[in-house]
Amino acid sequence: MSQSVATSPMELGSRSISRLLIQYSVPAIIASVATSLYNIIDSIFIGRGVGPMAIAGLAITFPLMNLLIAFCTLVAVGGATISSIFLGQRNISRATDVLNNVLIMCVIHSLFFGGLTLLFLDRILLFFGATAETLPYAREFMQVILLGTPISYVFIGLNNIMRATGYPARAMISALLSVGANIILAPIFIFVLDMGIKGAALATVIGQSVACVWVVSHFLSKNSFIHFSRGNRWINGAIMKRIYAIGLSPFLMNVCACVVVVFINKALLDYGESIGNLAVGAYGILNRTTMFFVMIVFGVTQGMQPILGFNYGAGNHQRVRRTLMTGIWLGVGITTAGWLVTELMPDTVSRLFTVDSTLIEIANRGFHIFFIVYPLVGCQIVIQNYFQSVGKPKISIFLSLTRQLIFLIPFLIILPRHWGIDGVWASMSASDLIAFFFSITTLIIFNRRHNDHRPSVAS
């Protein structure tokens, strides 16, 4: 192993912030963009190869997919953050303990959640808003995805550790392997083999299997800076507790997203009347589009996470602040680009997913209302992830709850009664606006208290 690779985690405390962000964020952004593009392309394949009801059925699976991701990120993000902090403290053995425990926890979570959900799949999908027309598509898709849960959990969990322990480029490659296999196989399964929406799900699982092999082989190699070790702890209550504490923020964020999507789907079905299923499909288009830009911001925050965690653990608070401010400007720039795209060319975006004129019309209307304050979303996401990265999960949880639950649910109950489907879109933009101000206020208060209680350190 070359010296540069071996010492790269320790350079988090000394190299320039801009160079580190390029080194860590660019691969994460590329991986996030690739994943987002896959989700979009997959939806395009489903919409054009199976039909508009399949798009609606796919949208029904979003809350369940959010739950699936929640139980994985509970371990993956918590483990990545703690391993970065241990590296900042020069504690390689404890970082290895985290790796071992993350693997065990991912397997346990996947078997429990995947198995339990399969037993009650139809009931869950009906609760999430499936109708007689959309249930078959949602069921077909999720059955395959749930069977592949152990693979996807191990892949995602270990990939986060890979990035956090000094291998952002390899973490990017693993994501590209998954996406590449997906994009190649999905059209073959859908159009050539006529497997429908099940083919899209199967392509996803196979792609993640390829990436999982790559990630596991990395941590089996003793040339890796952090690797599996029989001599280290595989099940440790103290480490698991810390992983859960840090990972609780993204876990609750995804659970909230699940709850919110249920409310959104039900509101669209109730107030959409004869076009309710198509309105749910339109939300699927909006969701895929917004997640494309959000995932790019997540790429930035994933790149920030090891820098923030390492320097916070090492007490380099000025480097922590510089990393945060750079991340905020990048986040705002990305979501501003998203707003411009959906404002200037909504019809072009909608037509990527479907040729159904009614579905396009509903989606276009949604873009103009839903994305009106979208530029501010990037700032809120970066600040929320900042608190998570420096080991302040309670604050991060609070901020995630404000955006996705505390404000949004009341809006979804009230506004659609007066404005119908437009009220659903307006609820999301109003919640984003208030959550932005809450995140800025919380950051200012935290910094003032943190500075008041911290001894001055020479720059």
Side-chain angles (χ1 to χ4, degrees):
M1 177 175 56
S2 67
Q3 185 69 10
S4 61
V5 173
T7 59
S8 60
M10 299 309 167
E11 293 176 353
L12 290 167
S14 57
R15 292 189 65 189
S16 90
I17 297 297
S18 58
R19 289 185 179 181
L20 285 170
L21 278 173
I22 291 173
Q23 178 184 348
Y24 279 80
S25 288
V26 170
I29 290 171
I30 292 173
S32 296
V33 169
T35 302
S36 297
L37 283 176
Y38 159 69
N39 288 330
I40 291 173
I41 292 170
D42 199 37
S43 296
I44 293 171
F45 289 152
I46 292 170
R48 291 181 172 268
V50 189
M53 281 300 109
I55 283 285
L58 186 65
I60 292 298
T61 70
F62 288 168
L64 188 50
M65 291 293 287
N66 283 330
L67 273 181
L68 189 71
I69 294 170
F71 282 94
C72 183
T73 55
L74 178 61
V75 177
V77 176
T81 301
I82 294 168
S83 62
S84 293
I85 293 174
F86 279 141
L87 284 177
Q89 297 169 348
R90 304 299 198 271
N91 197 333
I92 307 301
S93 179
R94 293 290 279 173
T96 303
D97 289 342
V98 173
L99 170 65
N100 292 350
N101 279 259
V102 164
L103 175 63
I104 298 299
M105 294 169 74
C106 282
V107 173
I108 293 173
H109 277 222
S110 65
L111 293 175
F112 174 78
F113 179 75
L116 191 64
T117 307
L118 272 173
L119 288 176
F120 303 100
L121 183 57
D122 276 17
R123 294 181 185 180
I124 294 171
L125 292 173
L126 288 169
F127 176 77
F128 287 161
T131 63
E133 293 84 2
T134 58
L135 179 60
Y137 296 107
R139 181 200 299 125
E140 254 191 296
F141 185 81
M142 286 309 305
Q143 282 176 337
V144 177
I145 293 295
L146 288 170
L147 288 172
T149 302
I151 295 169
S152 61
Y153 271 41
V154 171
F155 158 53
I156 294 171
L158 297 186
N159 205 50
N160 275 265
I161 299 291
M162 182 187 288
R163 182 183 300 107
T165 54
Y167 296 91
R170 288 196 177 189
M172 174 193 70
I173 291 173
S174 62
L176 292 177
L177 284 172
S178 174
V179 172
N182 261 315
I183 293 176
I184 293 170
L185 293 175
I188 295 174
F189 291 161
I190 294 173
F191 295 104
V192 179
L193 300 180
D194 198 25
M195 296 177 66
I197 198 169
K198 182 185 291 185
L202 184 60
T204 297
V205 173
I206 293 175
Q208 289 178 339
S209 300
V210 173
C212 188
V213 171
W214 164 265
V215 176
V216 171
S217 65
H218 167 82
F219 286 112
L220 286 174
S221 172
K222 292 186 178 180
N223 289 328
S224 170
F225 194 84
I226 301 293
H227 54 81
F228 294 125
S229 173
R230 293 182 180 179
N232 285 78
R233 298 174 180 178
W234 290 81
I235 299 178
N236 181 273
I239 287 178
M240 288 183 172
K241 184 178 179 180
R242 289 192 67 181
I243 288 174
Y244 283 135
I246 300 295
L248 191 60
S249 172
F251 171 78
L252 288 178
M253 183 176 68
N254 282 291
V255 171
C256 288
C258 168
V259 174
V260 165
V261 172
V262 172
F263 274 85
I264 291 172
N265 285 342
K266 288 188 177 296
L268 291 172
L269 289 169
D270 290 343
Y271 296 97
E273 298 177 351
S274 61
I275 59 170
N277 280 324
L278 288 178
V280 171
Y283 173 63
I285 294 174
L286 267 64
N287 184 278
R288 288 302 195 202
T289 306
T290 186
M291 284 308 299
F292 173 77
F293 294 99
V294 166
M295 288 296 288
I296 299 176
V297 179
F298 282 161
V300 173
T301 61
Q302 286 172 1
M304 292 170 59
Q305 181 269 316
I307 305 170
L308 290 169
F310 185 100
N311 285 285
Y312 190 83
N316 297 330
H317 299 290
Q318 288 189 352
R319 289 176 64 80
V320 170
R321 285 196 296 272
R322 287 202 299 271
T323 303
L324 170 63
M325 293 309 301
T326 305
I328 287 175
W329 284 113
L330 288 172
V332 171
I334 291 163
T335 49
T336 299
W339 170 72
L340 287 172
V341 169
T342 56
E343 182 68 22
L344 299 176
M345 53 183 73
D347 196 68
T348 302
V349 176
S350 297
R351 289 185 182 278
L352 289 173
F353 296 89
T354 183
V355 294
D356 187 283
S357 59
T358 305
L359 182 53
I360 291 171
E361 183 180 351
I362 299 170
N364 289 354
R365 177 74 175 172
F367 278 130
H368 290 305
I369 301 173
F370 179 22
F371 277 74
I372 192 167
V373 297
Y374 196 62
L376 305 178
V377 172
C379 176
Q380 199 273 345
I381 293 173
V382 170
I383 292 175
Q384 176 192 319
N385 280 272
Y386 158 74
F387 286 114
Q388 174 185 298
S389 297
V390 298
K392 302 295 179 182
K394 291 181 180 179
I395 300 176
S396 183
I397 290 167
F398 168 73
L399 294 180
S400 67
L401 289 176
T402 59
R403 179 171 180 241
Q404 298 198 76
L405 196 69
I406 296 174
F407 302 130
L408 183 52
I409 297 298
F411 281 134
L412 285 171
I413 294 173
I414 298 169
L415 297 186
R417 294 180 180 178
H418 302 284
W419 299 337
I421 292 177
D422 285 353
V424 178
W425 312 137
S427 297
M428 290 182 271
S429 56
S431 175
D432 285 341
L433 179 62
I434 298 177
F436 163 76
F437 287 112
F438 256 75
S439 63
I440 290 292
T441 303
T442 302
L443 180 64
I444 292 172
I445 293 173
F446 174 80
N447 282 340
R448 285 178 178 173
R449 291 181 177 177
H450 197 58
N451 290 332
D452 289 342
H453 291 87
R454 190 181 71 238
S456 61
V457 180
S459 59

